[in-house]
Amino acid sequence: LGPRIGAAKQVVAGPAANGDGTYDVTFEYMVENLGGITMHDIQLIEDLSGLGRYEATAGAVDMPNEYTVNSVSITGNSTDPLVLNPGFDGFTDVDLFDGSTGSMAVDTSVTLEISLTFYPTIRDGSFTYLNQVQALGDDPTSNNGVPDGITTDLSDDGPTSDPDGDRDPTEPGEDDPTPVVINVPVFSIDKSSDAPPAGDLPGDTITYTIVVTSEDGLTQDNLNVQDTLPAGVSYVPETTQVTGFTSSDTYADDFESG
């Protein structure tokens, strides 16, 4: 059996909202030697430009279609270790290894983790990003420091590149892109009152009704609805009534006028 490289990629953390429009996500990559000889000139090509423009720091990611690479780590490296490319950004430099050295013996694997912060463009309450990494490797006769790609593989979504274990990671169903999915609940909010068109007189009581509706059926945690009363209006204590909520929900019995 000649050289045969396999690659897998999966989301192991996130996407987690940071509250400012950005999200954190961590990818795990696994590259393995499924062939019968030692592989050389190994490279993983990760193009993250589908997330937008690269920024040098997370603090600079402040508008849609921007991202940054927070960290890259490697474990399970061999006795002839692969060296990470310090210039990798997934945008102008898509090589995860520097290509200077490193090999993989038969039936060995290397695992990488990449942590990102990105600012997605969310349309109609959802965002989906599909991505694959490409793995390249050469046999000993082509050990020239350049990944000629004698063996290549597109990553499969999940922890392993060869789910059926037949040492061929290129079969149908074993090269599925890895998804990053964000669903943002869509709400509508309406406010009405029983005040007559001509207005109320001083001392009259006005009842306001606020209706919040989930338009897509998704569950939203930590929903916060705030209402500032009009100038000249004061709140009558203990008159708030809330319906359609769970036992863990709370509401304030205190309002201020604008």
Side-chain angles (χ1 to χ4, degrees), residues 8-9 27-31 44 46 96 110-112 114 133:
K9 176 181 178 178
F27 294 115
E28 180 184 80
Y29 307 76
M30 193 272 290
V31 56
L44 287 179
E46 174 64 302
L96 278 165
V110 171
T111 300
L112 295 85
I114 297 180
V133 63

Side-chain angles (χ1 to χ4, degrees), residues 186-206:
V186 178
F187 290 93
S188 64
I189 184 166
D190 295 296
K191 179 180 178 180
S192 61
S193 78
D194 63 356
D200 287 270
L201 297 175
D204 286 349
T205 300
I206 305 172

Side-chain angles (χ1 to χ4, degrees), residues 144-166:
N144 58 6
V146 178
D148 301 303
I150 290 177
T151 173
T152 67
D153 184 42
L154 289 174
S155 61
D156 191 32
D157 180 39
T160 179
S161 67
D162 183 32
D164 63 8
D166 66 353

Side-chain angles (χ1 to χ4, degrees), residues 52-169:
R53 182 178 63 252
Y54 171 78
E55 298 290 346
T57 64
V61 180
D62 56 5
M63 61 186 304
N65 301 319
E66 293 181 340
Y67 77 92
T68 194
V69 178
N70 298 318
S71 64
V72 182
S73 62
I74 184 170
T75 57
N77 221 345
S78 63
T79 54
D80 183 16
L82 301 168
V83 179
L84 292 174
N85 172 17
F88 169 78
D89 59 18
F91 193 74
T92 58
D93 192 340
V94 296
D95 293 342
L96 278 165
F97 299 123
D98 73 354
S100 64
T101 184
S103 63
M104 291 185 65
V106 176
D107 291 330
T108 62
S109 64
V110 171
T111 300
L112 295 85
E113 279 197 0
I114 297 180
S115 172
L116 307 174
T117 297
F118 67 102
Y119 200 134
T121 297
I122 298 177
R123 295 185 175 91
D124 298 324
S126 66
F127 168 86
T128 299
Y129 171 66
L130 299 175
N131 177 261
Q132 287 176 289
V133 63
Q134 182 183 19
L136 300 90
D138 295 338
D139 62 24
T141 62
S142 300
N143 183 19
N144 58 6
V146 178
D148 301 303
I150 290 177
T151 173
T152 67
D153 184 42
L154 289 174
S155 61
D156 191 32
D157 180 39
T160 179
S161 67
D162 183 32
D164 63 8
D166 66 353
R167 307 185 79 84
D168 182 1

Side-chain angles (χ1 to χ4, degrees), residues 233-255:
V233 174
S234 60
Y235 174 65
V236 179
E238 300 182 1
T239 59
T240 297
Q241 298 180 14
V242 182
T243 60
F245 67 97
T246 63
S247 60
S248 60
D249 291 334
T250 61
Y251 61 89
D253 192 55
D254 182 25
F255 294 86

